[in-house]
Amino acid sequence: MSELFDRIDALVASRSVLPPPAERKRLRQAHGLTLDEVAAALDVRRATVSGWESGKTEPRPPEREAYARLLGKLAELYPADTNVAPPAEGTAVPGTSGGASASAPQAQPVPTDAAHEAAAMTTGQNTQPRPADDSVPSTAAPRPARATRASSTSRRPGAKKAAPAAALTGTDPRFANGPLAVVDVEGGRVRAYCTGGLVLDVPAKSLPALVDWTLVEAKLGQPKLSGPGKDADPLLVLTQAALERYGLPTTLTEEERLAGRIPEGHKAVKQLARAQWKLTKRGFGPWARIYRPAAGSERACVQVCIPSWNALDARNWGEAGQLPPAELARVLGVYASRVMTPRGSTAVTGLELMTALHPPTRASRSDAGGKRYSEHNPGSLGQDPVDCAPCEAPDGHPLLAGLPRFHVRGPAEKLFEEAYDWARPMTDGECMLRHLVGIDVNMAFAAGANGLTVGLGGATHVKAPAFDPKLPGSWLVDLSHVDLSRVKVGREWVELDASLLPSPFTPKGERPTGPAWYATPTVAYAAELGYEVRPIEAYVRHESGRYLDGWYQRLRDAYLATMADLGVDADCTPADFLTAMDGYRARDPELAIVVSAVKATVKGGLGKLRERPRGEGWKPGQPWRALARPTWRPDIRAAVISRTRTNLHRKIVKHAAFTGQYPIAILSDCVVYAANGPSPLDFLPYREGKPLPGGFKLGINPGLVKYEGTQTVLWGEEVRERFNAPELNLARYIKDGTVTDADNGE
């Protein structure tokens, strides 16, 4: 009989009543759940849940019963007649490290009066409602009711925080309030706006007291990203009102801006010193680090970010520096949960992320006496810097101090792996077409880092070595014999018009004229094209590994999760993808800022691998500060750029071999083609929705391409004629068509 009842229950469950698609989405967002979390709980794909919410598909047993149960529970918490709008997706969960694929949930809306009172009875929180604040834009999480002074915290009563599926085992109680807080002064009271809509009352009346409060009471920080790593220090973002309250200037003078800090004699700095707090060598600047020497494993360090001192560079963070506190906390919180707590500029954070994922040391196994020691962490770059090869050294490096003054190194002396900046005149046939269409490779340099084997230790110099594509290093080899008019594509030789193609071996697309230094991926690509390579000499690194894989994966997942929150999914059809990308930034400008910051983290982090001198009285031939880092590795940067450029050239060659179409211009990861229509679909060879294997494919994943912009062929010819530059790089202006005299040195 029980089996019969089970079948009856299953039959009823298979027809469980579900609310309309729009209501399903409202309920999920009202509880701060992301698509990833719901999908993980129901053991389905993210796109499946998205389809249920859009009405494209309906759940089927056995997931339907579980989904109906979830929506029913949420409907009890958030009835349809509530007057509080659900918050937008994307805000990080306090204290969550932000798994690679998990989106961070948003703050909770204020519950109905009944739920409010019931929650207050169980939590003991103040039930006094707070009037709506009309000054907060609708995209921000609604502010919670204020807490009593005794608790020094406030949350929305009755609203339970939804944790990502990866964190269901519990949030680290040390960092219960998230990785960071934006400190502001409102009505004479100091408040700390945290992620997830949480607001804390700050009792500190001085800067040293603020640091103490952050470490003792605030419960801010982020768990380590790797087993042997360290937890992230709490981050305080100080608004202008907070700066005034704590005796700091709201803006920097020109002298302070150039120095990157306020003077050591400033009263706030002296106040910290009297309280026995220290600053790093960079002093108290836009990104400051206030600490006391570690006692054992206990760290006492607080990071400070000051937007009005240009800590959040508009080139990477857009308008983040002008956002109200709650919105700024949301932007930085999403970034922190998906990438890491910012440690400085996006470039600094990109480099710090590499170290956080591959700490230089780890604890050894216990010896006979039970003691453990610090030892090298395999797969990391170690604690000590390694010398670069002479060919990898940038101009002014101490290795080059013996060169004659004003000596200019040529390709046979200097490794010059950079991104493309190439263009050519249009053919008569291309001039007969109507449009110039630009496509852009998503996260191109991140994709170039994925799966790349790089050197972990120092270089070994060898003469006349046999080329090994699996051995990272720099190779002196003559590739001038590689003829692009006949190359190998896969297993077949194909004929191409070499005059319409850039060389894959030089950033300007010029054919090499003799021996030159190249990174391993460039030489490997020459062999792939079917030509013999015979290195003259090389600097190779036998200790190697895929050091950047975890870095790539975390940044990729951060990018994809944020773009998904903006309505651009990874499984879109080409036409749907183009539609979804159209105006995606306007759907949630705050999350669009996060997207820009993630992309800047990729490029900036790779750039830091070969950081150049930054003033400080440096002279050519002298060492500069960055050389003392184990992460100063120009060879790794060169390898990533080499692989990115050859990846792009491979796609261009396959496209040309299949369609007979050649690029007009290339700038880094943007490629421009002439076409009869204004869309990428007018020249990309899709057949029955499937792209050319190994060629360009529309999509949001790193390495796939998106639409960059369209101009007319007449526009391109007019611009080149105006500046008398038949090879002006039109890829630089394809997005909006704006070309100024300043762009061309006039």
Side-chain angles (χ1 to χ4, degrees):
M1 185 65 70
S2 61
E3 293 181 0
L4 177 62
F5 288 168
D6 290 341
R7 291 198 297 271
I8 295 298
D9 290 342
L11 182 62
V12 173
S14 68
R15 299 294 188 272
S16 298
V17 178
L18 297 175
E23 177 66 3
R24 302 170 195 174
K25 184 174 182 179
R26 183 193 74 81
L27 291 171
R28 174 178 61 79
Q29 290 182 339
H31 200 59
L33 297 175
T34 65
L35 291 170
D36 289 305
E37 293 164 356
V38 174
L42 298 175
D43 197 21
V44 296
R45 295 173 57 243
R46 183 185 193 282
T48 301
V49 181
S50 179
W52 296 345
E53 291 188 356
S54 66
K56 293 181 180 179
T57 59
E58 285 294 312
R60 305 170 74 176
E63 290 84 7
R64 185 183 180 94
E65 178 185 11
Y67 189 47
R69 182 179 179 84
L70 169 66
L71 295 176
K73 294 290 186 182
L74 295 179
E76 294 175 5
L77 292 173
Y78 311 104
D81 60 350
T82 181
N83 293 322
V84 180
E89 297 178 55
T91 300
V93 177
T96 302
S97 62
S101 63
S103 302
Q106 174 66 295
Q108 316 304 325
V110 178
T112 57
D113 292 341
H116 190 131
E117 293 176 5
M121 291 173 64
T122 60
T123 62
Q125 293 187 359
N126 189 352
T127 61
Q128 281 292 77
R130 178 181 174 182
D133 186 349
D134 295 333
S135 66
V136 180
S138 59
T139 56
R143 291 179 179 174
R146 290 179 177 169
T148 61
R149 187 65 179 227
S151 68
S152 188
T153 63
S154 95
R155 291 189 187 272
R156 287 184 182 81
K160 296 182 179 179
K161 291 290 176 182
L168 291 178
T169 54
T171 300
D172 192 325
R174 298 172 299 158
F175 312 128
N177 295 332
L180 56 89
V182 180
V183 181
D184 191 30
V185 180
E186 181 183 286
R189 301 177 68 180
V190 183
R191 298 199 172 275
Y193 292 80
C194 305
T195 57
L198 171 67
V199 181
L200 307 176
D201 283 328
V202 181
K205 299 186 180 300
S206 67
L207 190 57
L210 178 63
V211 177
D212 284 324
W213 172 84
T214 303
L215 293 171
V216 176
E217 298 183 47
K219 294 185 178 181
L220 296 175
Q222 191 175 35
K224 57 189 177 183
L225 299 180
S226 174
K230 298 176 180 177
D231 297 325
D233 299 318
L235 173 64
L236 294 181
V237 184
L238 304 183
T239 67
Q240 289 187 317
L243 293 173
E244 291 179 354
R245 169 62 65 93
Y246 292 113
L248 292 164
T250 56
T251 58
L252 297 179
T253 65
E254 182 65 16
E255 182 179 356
E256 292 168 342
R257 186 186 64 80
L258 292 174
R261 68 188 74 186
I262 59 177
E264 293 182 6
H266 192 281
K267 61 180 182 180
V269 177
K270 290 182 176 180
Q271 200 177 36
L272 288 170
R274 285 195 299 270
Q276 299 183 342
W277 289 106
K278 297 180 180 292
L279 296 168
T280 58
K281 290 183 179 180
R282 63 183 174 185
F284 206 121
W287 288 93
R289 194 170 298 169
I290 305 170
Y291 73 98
R292 287 191 180 120
S297 62
E298 293 297 323
R299 289 170 57 82
C301 182
V302 173
Q303 294 193 99
V304 178
C305 167
I306 304 178
S308 64
W309 294 5
N310 199 36
L312 301 175
D313 192 327
R315 293 172 296 181
N316 303 324
W317 288 100
E319 301 299 319
Q322 284 72 52
L323 290 175
E327 286 85 335
L328 180 55
R330 180 193 180 211
V331 168
L332 294 178
V334 172
Y335 180 90
S337 69
R338 295 178 178 177
V339 180
M340 69 179 296
T341 303
R343 299 288 302 272
S345 66
T346 50
V348 169
T349 304
L351 194 69
E352 292 284 348
L353 180 61
M354 296 179 195
T355 304
L357 294 169
H358 287 284
T361 61
R362 68 179 183 183
S364 67
R365 292 184 178 181
S366 302
D367 61 14
K371 290 185 178 181
R372 305 179 75 185
Y373 302 91
S374 177
E375 65 178 13
H376 173 70
N377 183 28
S380 76
L381 298 182
Q383 296 187 87
D384 302 318
V386 298
D387 291 332
C388 63
C391 63
E392 297 163 352
D395 294 338
H397 191 279
L399 286 176
L400 310 176
L403 290 178
R405 193 179 182 188
F406 305 123
H407 175 76
V408 178
R409 294 186 294 161
E413 299 174 276
K414 179 181 180 180
L415 177 68
F416 193 65
E417 295 282 10
E418 299 295 341
Y420 268 129
D421 185 355
W422 170 87
R424 62 168 176 83
M426 284 185 272
T427 65
D428 292 342
E430 289 165 342
C431 288
M432 298 298 292
L433 300 176
R434 299 182 61 186
H435 299 281
L436 297 176
V437 184
I439 54 177
D440 182 82
V441 181
N442 292 313
M443 302 270 284
F445 294 101
N450 181 32
L452 177 65
T453 301
V454 300
L456 301 178
T460 301
H461 185 222
V462 291
K463 290 282 189 178
F467 176 67
D468 183 351
K470 297 180 180 179
L471 191 59
S474 300
W475 309 77
L476 181 63
V477 58
D478 188 352
L479 299 180
S480 59
H481 64 291
V482 178
D483 184 4
L484 294 181
S485 63
R486 186 172 184 270
V487 297
K488 205 170 184 181
V489 179
R491 297 182 178 180
E492 298 181 359
W493 288 88
V494 298
E495 305 288 336
L496 300 172
D497 188 340
S499 67
L500 303 180
L501 283 171
S503 166
F505 310 127
T506 61
K508 291 293 184 181
E510 302 163 342
R511 185 170 178 171
T513 57
W517 285 99
Y518 303 102
T520 297
T522 301
V523 186
Y525 184 58
E528 179 186 325
L529 291 175
Y531 290 86
E532 185 180 16
V533 292
R534 293 183 178 179
I536 301 168
E537 61 177 303
Y539 288 90
V540 296
R541 291 171 169 84
H542 296 286
E543 183 187 355
S544 61
R546 293 168 57 162
Y547 175 72
L548 295 173
D549 273 11
W551 183 81
Y552 159 77
Q553 290 161 8
R554 188 159 180 87
L555 290 166
R556 173 204 62 193
D557 292 345
Y559 176 68
L560 293 180
T562 311
M563 289 300 296
D565 288 340
L566 287 164
V568 185
D569 290 317
D571 55 356
C572 290
T573 64
D576 288 343
F577 171 70
L578 293 175
T579 301
M581 287 294 293
D582 186 19
Y584 76 91
R585 290 183 172 274
R587 295 176 199 140
D588 192 328
E590 293 169 15
L591 288 184
I593 292 174
V594 177
V595 171
S596 297
V598 171
K599 293 193 288 187
T601 303
V602 173
K603 291 186 176 181
L606 293 173
K608 277 283 185 181
L609 291 169
R610 199 192 68 162
E611 184 177 357
R612 304 300 300 276
R614 303 178 64 185
E616 300 177 341
W618 175 82
K619 294 181 181 179
Q622 296 179 346
W624 58 92
R625 184 183 300 179
L627 299 185
R629 294 195 321 250
T631 51
W632 193 84
R633 293 295 302 272
D635 57 300
I636 295 179
R637 173 188 178 273
V640 172
I641 295 176
S642 165
R643 192 161 187 250
T644 302
R645 193 183 65 247
T646 53
N647 280 349
L648 181 59
H649 195 273
R650 185 180 294 107
K651 289 180 171 62
I652 290 170
V653 165
K654 289 191 176 182
H655 185 86
F658 189 78
T659 67
Q661 298 170 333
Y662 295 84
I664 302 295
I666 310 172
L667 183 66
S668 187
D669 47 12
C670 176
V671 188
V672 176
Y673 282 90
N676 267 324
S679 166
L681 291 175
D682 292 315
F683 71 91
L684 293 182
Y686 275 87
R687 289 186 175 178
E688 298 180 356
K690 296 182 178 180
L692 169 67
F696 295 110
K697 177 183 178 181
L698 288 167
I700 199 59
N701 279 297
L704 305 188
V705 298
K706 63 179 182 293
Y707 171 59
E708 180 70 4
T710 297
Q711 305 297 328
T712 64
V713 169
L714 290 177
W715 165 86
E717 289 295 88
E718 187 275 329
V719 167
R720 286 178 164 177
E721 184 178 348
R722 188 201 323 168
F723 294 105
N724 192 28
E727 295 183 1
L728 180 71
N729 196 332
L730 299 176
R732 193 182 306 275
Y733 316 106
I734 195 71
K735 190 166 190 175
D736 59 12
T738 302
V739 186
T740 65
D741 291 342
D743 291 329
N744 294 279
E746 299 195 8

